[in-house]
Amino acid sequence: MLNEILNENQTTTVLLETMAGKGTEIGRTFEEIKNIIDKVELNNHLGVCLDTCHIFDGGYDIVNNLDGVLDEFDKIIGLDRLKAIHLNDSLNTLGSHKDRHAKIGEGNIGLDAIEKIINNTRLKYLPFFLETPNDLEGYAKEIKLLRSLYKE
């Protein structure tokens, strides 16, 4: 389908999102995402959105080995393809393959790891999209918390 819809003159970059591996989807592993990219003729119009809950639930240990996970991403896909981060915590444990987002600091990724993610030199200048189960007041609190943790 991507080969049918992408065209040489488009200015939009289509992002493939990392997945948790619930069983009916592809994109849980970096190799699966790379395989998709390699099959697209105009793949210069493709990038990747890394979802923190999805990769954690998918088995990538961003809590204890964030730099190692980013090194693996770079080796397989290339960090130049990483264009955005969906930031959320996870209700599940590492490798659960469930995809259940949690509020920032209220899940198994935890606030310390979230702080490391938003301040990682390879990630901190990318756009971060807060994607937690919340209401407007809750989002405001999370944004305030994240801003207090961000180091310029």
Side-chain angles (χ1 to χ4, degrees):
M1 183 53 68
L2 289 167
N3 282 325
E4 289 182 30
I5 63 168
L6 296 177
N7 69 72
E8 290 183 31
N9 298 320
Q10 76 180 59
T11 57
T12 303
T13 300
V14 175
L15 301 185
L16 304 173
E17 184 174 349
T18 55
M19 304 307 292
K22 295 181 295 198
T24 58
E25 60 195 16
I26 58 172
R28 181 192 67 79
T29 66
F30 299 153
E31 290 84 1
E32 288 177 355
I33 293 172
K34 176 69 166 133
N35 193 27
I36 295 167
I37 292 169
D38 288 346
K39 288 180 174 21
V40 175
E41 294 163 12
L42 297 174
N43 66 29
N44 59 314
H45 293 291
L46 292 179
V48 176
C49 175
L50 188 147
D51 184 295
T52 55
C53 172
H54 294 176
I55 65 169
F56 182 77
D57 285 15
Y60 290 99
D61 191 355
I62 57 173
V63 174
N64 300 302
N65 191 23
L66 177 61
D67 285 326
V69 171
L70 293 176
D71 289 343
E72 185 175 350
F73 185 98
D74 192 30
K75 179 181 171 191
I76 296 167
I77 297 172
L79 281 171
D80 59 314
R81 288 221 189 250
L82 186 56
K83 304 296 183 188
I85 307 290
H86 280 174
L87 189 64
N88 38 65
D89 212 322
S90 175
L91 291 176
N92 298 301
T93 57
L94 176 68
S96 65
H97 305 294
K98 298 221 179 175
D99 185 14
R100 300 291 184 273
H101 296 195
K103 295 174 184 176
I104 298 298
E106 294 184 17
N108 288 301
I109 295 174
L111 196 56
D112 289 342
I114 295 288
E115 182 176 6
K116 290 176 184 170
I117 291 165
I118 66 173
N119 287 297
N120 185 282
T121 56
R122 295 186 277 181
L123 303 177
K124 72 185 293 180
Y125 299 107
L126 291 171
F128 280 76
F129 297 91
L130 187 59
E131 198 182 51
T132 57
N134 225 325
D135 56 21
L136 287 178
E137 184 178 321
Y139 289 131
K141 288 178 183 177
E142 284 182 314
I143 291 168
K144 183 177 180 181
L145 171 63
L146 290 166
R147 284 184 173 151
S148 75
L149 298 173
Y150 183 76
K151 298 171 177 81
E152 297 276 343

